[in-house]
Amino acid sequence: MKKVWLSCLFVGMLFTAYPLYASDWQQDINELRKDIRELHQKLYSIDEKPADTENSGNAQMRDKIDEYGATLHRINERMDDLEKKIKQYNDNLDKFNQKTDVRLKVLESRKSGLETSSVLSSAPAVNESAVAPSNSGIVNGNKPEDMYANAMQAYNNALYDEAELGFEDIIKQFPSHALAGNSQYWLGEVYTKQGNLNKAKLAFKNGYEKYKNGNKGADCLYKLGVTLENQRNNKGACVVFMSFAEEFPKANADLNKKVKAESQKLGCK
């Protein structure tokens, strides 16, 4: 029976003093579960002899066995709870590591010191799918494609401050690159996520005016109207939505559908 109490003592130490290293915890839990199962089997494999009402020692032994069994049950419950906490810890750690990696990439790009003389004015248009974030680690060099990938990764991980820095750097240091227009659009989306509609409105307005012929020119005008609508400036929003077809006659069908839906919702005429 000493093994039962040693097991209980070990569990108590596990919960109070053991450092939170998930892999070590899980290994200890698995080993302890095995010991408990073996002990549980030994406790209840004792031959049940006919009850002897005059033998108080026999009755006391059965009471002790029941008590130890209840203790083992409580230990199992605590280990179940600990396993849940370990899983949550691992999930949070993975998210933290991912966000830290994104932050480092964006900040490293800023630290490297980009020069405006490296502007690539003749670069072809690039869409989001063509510049998917790389898993290679910290960015080497000052390529706008790498910076854009890092900024998009920050945005997708809800690291809006880092995304803002990344998109702003591209706009400032590569203003003639095709990705500058894309960055201007996503900068507006960042401000929208941050709840700063005034800055979002200006970002989308600049995206439409400065990069009208870029990949995101039409999107910027549409989002300008949506932002005005969210600011309860329905008159201004209607002006934007009603001018959309003339400004972007070749806009894709999905975007045209969205513009018409917003226009109808506001009763624009």
Side-chain angles (χ1 to χ4, degrees):
M1 297 303 173
K2 291 183 178 179
K3 189 173 183 181
V4 175
W5 299 115
L6 289 175
S7 297
C8 294
L9 178 61
F10 178 80
V11 172
M13 294 174 62
L14 186 67
F15 274 83
T16 57
Y18 203 79
L20 191 58
Y21 295 111
S23 60
D24 294 335
W25 277 54
Q26 190 61 59
Q27 182 179 354
D28 289 334
I29 287 176
N30 292 339
E31 293 177 356
L32 186 55
R33 281 194 187 279
K34 181 179 178 181
D35 291 341
I36 289 175
R37 283 196 300 269
E38 293 176 354
L39 183 57
H40 193 273
Q41 291 172 357
K42 291 179 180 179
L43 283 174
Y44 288 94
S45 65
I46 299 175
D47 292 335
E48 294 289 345
K49 297 182 179 180
D52 184 356
T53 56
E54 295 182 358
N55 190 339
S56 60
N58 189 40
Q60 291 177 357
M61 177 63 70
R62 290 196 181 91
D63 290 341
K64 282 292 183 182
I65 291 176
D66 290 340
E67 181 183 342
Y68 296 149
T71 299
L72 293 177
H73 179 71
R74 289 194 296 270
I75 292 174
N76 275 312
E77 288 182 336
R78 294 183 68 187
M79 286 192 296
D80 289 340
D81 182 62
L82 180 58
E83 284 182 318
K84 293 179 181 178
K85 291 179 180 179
I86 289 175
K87 183 180 183 304
Q88 183 63 47
Y89 170 82
N90 283 333
D91 291 343
N92 291 339
L93 183 61
D94 289 342
K95 292 178 182 179
F96 175 80
N97 287 337
Q98 184 180 30
K99 290 185 176 183
T100 299
D101 183 58
V102 173
R103 287 190 175 103
L104 288 174
K105 287 180 180 179
V106 174
L107 296 177
E108 185 67 18
S109 294
R110 304 201 89 211
K111 182 180 177 181
S112 62
L114 301 171
E115 299 180 357
T116 55
S117 60
S118 61
V119 170
L120 306 177
S121 59
S122 61
V126 182
N127 57 37
E128 281 76 8
S129 61
V131 287
S134 170
N135 295 322
S136 59
I138 300 298
V139 172
N140 293 317
N142 300 328
K143 294 181 180 179
E145 291 85 359
D146 292 335
M147 295 172 62
Y148 184 79
N150 293 334
M152 284 301 305
Q153 190 175 18
Y155 177 86
N156 290 331
N157 281 277
L159 299 173
Y160 300 124
D161 290 342
E162 287 79 3
E164 179 182 357
L165 294 176
F167 291 130
E168 284 181 344
D169 282 344
I170 295 172
I171 294 168
K172 292 177 182 178
Q173 300 174 36
F174 299 94
S176 299
H177 194 278
L179 289 176
N182 290 38
S183 297
Q184 185 67 56
Y185 168 81
W186 286 109
L187 190 58
E189 292 285 18
V190 167
Y191 293 142
T192 300
K193 292 290 188 181
Q194 293 173 331
N196 194 330
L197 295 184
N198 284 329
K199 294 183 74 172
K201 177 177 66 177
L202 181 60
F204 290 130
K205 181 175 180 291
N206 288 338
Y208 159 66
E209 293 178 345
K210 296 180 180 180
Y211 305 99
K212 180 179 179 180
N213 296 324
N215 290 340
K216 293 292 188 179
D219 294 271
C220 282
L221 185 60
Y222 165 66
K223 280 304 182 80
L224 174 59
V226 171
T227 304
L228 290 169
E229 181 182 349
N230 290 335
Q231 290 183 313
R232 302 186 183 280
N233 184 355
N234 292 350
K235 183 177 180 180
C238 280
V239 171
V240 170
F241 293 140
M242 295 299 289
S243 66
F244 186 86
E246 181 179 353
E247 292 294 318
F248 296 98
K250 296 182 180 180
N252 67 69
D254 288 340
L255 192 54
N256 276 319
K257 185 177 180 180
K258 291 179 181 179
V259 171
K260 289 180 181 179
E262 293 296 331
S263 180
Q264 291 174 358
K265 181 173 70 174
L266 294 177
C268 300
K269 296 180 181 179

